[in-house]
Amino acid sequence: MIAAINDLSFKRNFSDKNEAIKKVHQWMDICKEIESQKTTAVKEIYSLMLNTSAEIAPNYPLIDLVKEFETRDEKRYLIHLLTNLSQPENIPQDPFCLKGECSYICSWAKEGWIISLESALLFGESILDGEVKQEKVSIKNISKQEHIQLYEEFLGIRHYEANKKHRKQPYIDAAGRYVAAMDLSDLEAQELLNCAIEIEGNIYGKRNGRYYSFQRHHDNYYHGYQNNNLGLHIRNKIDAERWE
């Protein structure tokens, strides 16, 4: 799935500088989470160049916000979002139009997500309804944490939930079945699940030289266990990834 910055949301002004700082911080936190390993269905955020010299509050250009953030990492990340995101190829000829304003990158991302700065009540909604070529189009919108929670299954966010039958050591259960071990802590398992890969419909990871399988048991919740008896072609695909 693709995700793009909603440039329309940067064309609205906040009433004052402090509100702009608050909402841009909120937008940065959303972008950081979308760019993290947690959202396995989104590999990258795209953007067309934003006009950083435009005012985001009265007499206050967008680029001046960089000075308001305390840490070097925050400053660098904001600059990254404003100037260094990849630009999409094959931008459509017909824009997405919303309340009299039009965006080509929103049209490009209409099958995925747009990430909006909450500069107006409109951009605080989880769906933005507009038109492309006079046809109604609805685009999934993310501008605050509750939207990530709403869309987390579609974003590929996976939750680890241990299954008690998988103990620290393998064993044979009462029915004579072999039960594989799960020797990772819940935190380690969650970290591995975040970066686990899908091969032929199954989810696999590797840690400390051992292979792990993860099984979905409801919604986007998974349990896991050691699985060192995988076929060679599966292991080769797992080994091709960087795990440590």
Side-chain angles (χ1 to χ4, degrees), residues 39-86:
T39 54
T40 61
V42 180
K43 301 304 180 186
E44 191 174 5
I45 299 175
Y46 292 81
S47 178
L48 295 181
M49 190 66 69
L50 297 170
N51 182 4
T52 58
S53 63
E55 289 187 356
I56 196 169
N59 301 313
Y60 194 74
L62 176 60
I63 194 62
D64 283 3
L65 274 170
V66 175
K67 297 181 294 186
E68 306 295 337
F69 290 92
E70 296 180 359
T71 69
R72 182 177 297 178
D73 286 345
E74 286 180 325
K75 295 177 191 291
R76 286 177 175 172
Y77 190 60
L78 179 55
I79 292 171
H80 159 71
L81 293 176
L82 295 178
T83 64
N84 294 332
L85 294 179
S86 297

Side-chain angles (χ1 to χ4, degrees), residues 35-162:
E35 285 196 310
S36 74
Q37 287 185 325
K38 290 173 60 178
T39 54
T40 61
V42 180
K43 301 304 180 186
E44 191 174 5
I45 299 175
Y46 292 81
S47 178
L48 295 181
M49 190 66 69
L50 297 170
N51 182 4
T52 58
S53 63
E55 289 187 356
I56 196 169
N59 301 313
Y60 194 74
L62 176 60
I63 194 62
D64 283 3
L65 274 170
V66 175
K67 297 181 294 186
E68 306 295 337
F69 290 92
E70 296 180 359
T71 69
R72 182 177 297 178
D73 286 345
E74 286 180 325
K75 295 177 191 291
R76 286 177 175 172
Y77 190 60
L78 179 55
I79 292 171
H80 159 71
L81 293 176
L82 295 178
T83 64
N84 294 332
L85 294 179
S86 297
Q87 296 191 31
E89 298 179 359
N90 304 317
I91 287 289
Q93 294 182 345
D94 300 298
F96 172 77
C97 296
L98 177 72
K99 303 295 184 182
E101 296 181 319
C102 295
S103 167
Y104 289 93
I105 195 166
C106 288
S107 181
W108 176 81
K110 66 181 183 293
E111 302 300 330
W113 290 270
I114 54 175
I115 304 168
S116 298
L117 176 66
E118 196 181 6
S119 56
L121 290 174
L122 170 68
F123 299 120
E125 300 295 327
S126 61
I127 294 286
L128 296 187
D129 294 315
E131 294 182 347
V132 175
K133 292 195 298 186
Q134 297 183 332
E135 293 184 4
K136 292 184 178 180
V137 171
S138 297
I139 306 179
K140 297 181 183 70
N141 180 53
I142 300 175
S143 63
K144 43 194 174 185
Q145 189 63 39
E146 65 191 60
H147 295 158
I148 290 182
Q149 295 169 353
L150 175 66
Y151 292 129
E152 66 176 16
E153 187 169 355
F154 300 101
L155 290 167
I157 295 175
R158 305 163 179 161
H159 297 286
Y160 180 74
E161 195 171 69

